[in-house]
Amino acid sequence: MQIPFLSLKDVTDKYSSEIHQAVSRVIDSGWYLQGKENETFEANYSKYIGTKYTVGCANGLDALIWILRGYIELGVMKEGDEVIVPANTYIASILAITENNLVPVLVEPSLETLQIDDSLIESKITKKTKAIMIVHLYGQCAYTEKIAELCKKYNLKLIEDNAQSHGCLYKGRKTGSLGDAAGHSFYPGKNLGALGDAGAVTTNDKELAKAVRSLANYGSAKKYVFQYQGRNSRLDEIQAAILDVKLKHLDEDVKLRQNVARRYIEGIKNPKVKLPNVPDFSAHAFHVFPVMCENRDEFQKYLEGNGIGTNIHYPIPPHQQECYTEWNNISLPITERIHAEELSLPMSPCLTDEQVNWVIQCVNEWE
């Protein structure tokens, strides 16, 4: 049996007819940028997330870049200010900070949740700290009341990297609505994925939304008038139409992911494989299903030898990357352990019972 880590073709085929209709509608309209499809998707996504504003942009990295740049243009931040961020995040979270000449302050995650350890944050706050960026890594909610209290106590912005957690809840509220602003990626493999690159910013801050929209449109809110030195980072009409189709099915797909995760957690009994700690399934959208194993590389080869596709999120932590040589000698043992032991099992709303059973059987038989 061959089980891909993720078949994007299977995911797309579920809604193929609706997607073809949406794309044809855009083609026939003759309007391909900044039109009704964007307006419709942004309105529907705002309603879904629970924010007043959604601003579409080219990708998830740009979404985070424009949030921070928007705050700089509005005078909330300035170059050299600090942004607290989890040390074990995907590199995009940190790239957005350094792109704006801000300073990332890396905080270790909890080994139990794999999310930023909120007990370590306050000691990292200085006079230059202006924001905490939480990352709902793997699809699990990283927000805590303690983080919110710290933001209030020190007058910090709370920014969510919501790239991996579309459909995740915190006490009935969607991630992406919990902080001051959130960046969303619609990369094809995400829970809500486009058929290409796409992203968005959500916020209740009217001035930030206006600044982000201008920055992503060459710095212009009015044609040929440029308030900022912006870039071209717009969500095109075809991707907006596709995303609006898939948005209607997002909660259903997340429930299917949660069902797969529940079966993994109930069925996998191998003591060598550490499963995610999931006290509340609604607070995890299972973008991926991460397990940890001391002999991760051998485990991966074993699974692939049994036809099971896997992935590593991520093999090299940000502080050990060549692009950040200034951090290469610092020690972040928890982050380093996670990056050395994490392996993601197949996760998709399209996995069959037979496929899930085979994954469970093979994991349990590994010695």
Side-chain angles (χ1 to χ4, degrees):
M1 182 184 299
Q2 294 294 319
I3 305 173
F5 173 70
L6 173 64
S7 171
L8 291 178
K9 185 178 185 304
D10 289 347
V11 172
T12 304
D13 281 350
K14 288 182 69 176
Y15 314 116
S16 178
S17 177
E18 292 175 78
I19 289 171
H20 277 281
Q21 290 176 24
V23 172
S24 294
R25 182 177 68 246
V26 176
I27 293 171
D28 291 344
S29 75
W31 195 284
Y32 308 127
L33 276 173
Q34 296 180 296
K36 292 182 179 178
E37 301 295 343
N38 262 265
E39 292 176 6
T40 299
F41 172 68
E42 289 180 353
N44 288 338
Y45 198 61
S46 289
K47 183 177 180 181
Y48 177 83
I49 292 294
T51 56
K52 292 180 181 178
Y53 308 103
T54 292
V55 181
C57 61
N59 53 69
L61 172 57
D62 278 5
L64 294 173
I65 288 173
W66 299 136
I67 290 170
L68 294 168
R69 174 73 183 280
Y71 281 134
I72 290 172
E73 296 292 354
L74 294 171
V76 176
M77 300 179 187
K78 63 181 183 301
E79 292 186 4
D81 284 340
E82 296 171 351
V83 179
I84 288 171
V85 65
N88 65 318
T89 185
Y90 181 58
I91 197 88
S93 313
I94 295 169
L95 288 172
I97 299 170
T98 56
E99 171 76 11
N100 282 289
N101 295 313
L102 299 167
V103 180
V105 177
L106 306 181
V107 174
E108 287 264 64
S110 160
L111 197 56
E112 195 62 31
T113 66
L114 309 183
Q115 307 300 317
I116 191 169
D117 188 337
D118 61 9
S119 71
L120 303 177
I121 293 175
E122 190 164 18
S123 66
K124 299 289 188 178
I125 295 174
T126 73
K127 291 181 180 179
K128 289 188 174 183
T129 308
K130 291 297 184 290
I132 299 173
M133 182 184 290
I134 57 174
V135 183
H136 306 298
L137 200 62
Y138 310 124
Q140 185 166 7
C141 181
Y143 176 90
T144 67
E145 295 295 338
K146 185 169 185 175
I147 293 173
E149 289 168 5
L150 289 172
C151 288
K152 184 176 181 180
K153 179 178 178 180
Y154 293 98
N155 192 28
L156 307 177
K157 294 297 183 183
L158 179 57
I159 300 168
E160 297 174 78
D161 182 337
N162 202 57
Q164 299 187 6
S165 57
H166 311 129
C168 181
L169 293 170
Y170 176 82
K171 296 183 178 180
R173 295 171 61 193
K174 292 285 197 309
T175 57
S177 70
L178 304 174
D180 295 287
H184 306 252
S185 168
F186 304 125
Y187 178 80
K190 306 299 187 185
N191 289 17
L192 179 61
L195 300 190
D197 271 323
V201 171
T202 55
T203 184
N204 288 319
D205 185 333
K206 183 178 180 180
E207 293 307 309
L208 179 64
K210 286 172 61 180
V212 167
R213 192 175 296 282
S214 294
L215 286 164
N217 185 41
Y218 298 96
S220 171
K222 181 180 179 182
K223 195 168 185 178
Y224 302 135
V225 177
F226 302 94
Q227 182 179 1
Y228 308 115
Q229 295 178 26
R231 293 184 188 172
N232 178 6
S233 176
R234 299 176 299 206
L235 176 62
D236 72 66
E237 289 286 277
I238 287 179
Q239 299 301 343
I242 291 167
L243 287 167
D244 201 52
V245 167
K246 297 181 78 174
L247 179 61
K248 298 178 178 67
H249 304 283
L250 177 56
D251 284 344
E252 173 192 343
D253 281 350
V254 169
K255 286 180 182 177
L256 292 171
R257 289 173 176 271
Q258 290 167 341
N259 288 340
V260 171
R262 189 174 281 107
R263 291 191 59 203
Y264 281 159
I265 290 172
E266 291 174 352
I268 294 174
K269 305 297 183 183
N270 192 327
K272 293 183 177 181
V273 179
K274 185 179 185 297
L275 298 171
N277 178 24
V278 188
D280 179 4
F281 272 80
S282 70
H284 204 318
F286 293 101
H287 170 57
V288 297
F289 188 89
V291 300
M292 290 180 63
C293 178
E294 289 184 7
N295 299 314
R296 189 263 312 280
D297 294 345
E298 290 92 345
F299 184 41
Q300 183 178 40
K301 289 177 183 176
Y302 161 80
L303 291 175
E304 290 178 349
N306 283 278
I308 297 171
T310 61
N311 207 340
I312 297 171
H313 295 90
Y314 301 95
I316 305 172
H319 72 281
Q320 293 180 342
Q321 296 285 353
E322 186 177 352
C323 62
Y324 291 116
T325 54
E326 65 271 28
W327 297 337
N328 287 176
N329 293 323
I330 68 174
S331 175
L332 294 166
I334 297 174
T335 293
E336 289 159 19
R337 178 179 171 184
I338 291 170
H339 285 257
E341 297 184 7
E342 191 278 338
L343 186 69
S344 300
L345 300 182
M347 174 52 67
S348 163
C350 302
L351 286 173
T352 66
D353 289 344
E354 183 182 16
Q355 289 174 322
V356 174
N357 288 339
W358 181 242
V359 174
I360 293 171
Q361 179 182 334
C362 288
V363 172
N364 285 335
E365 290 178 353
W366 184 61
E367 297 179 353

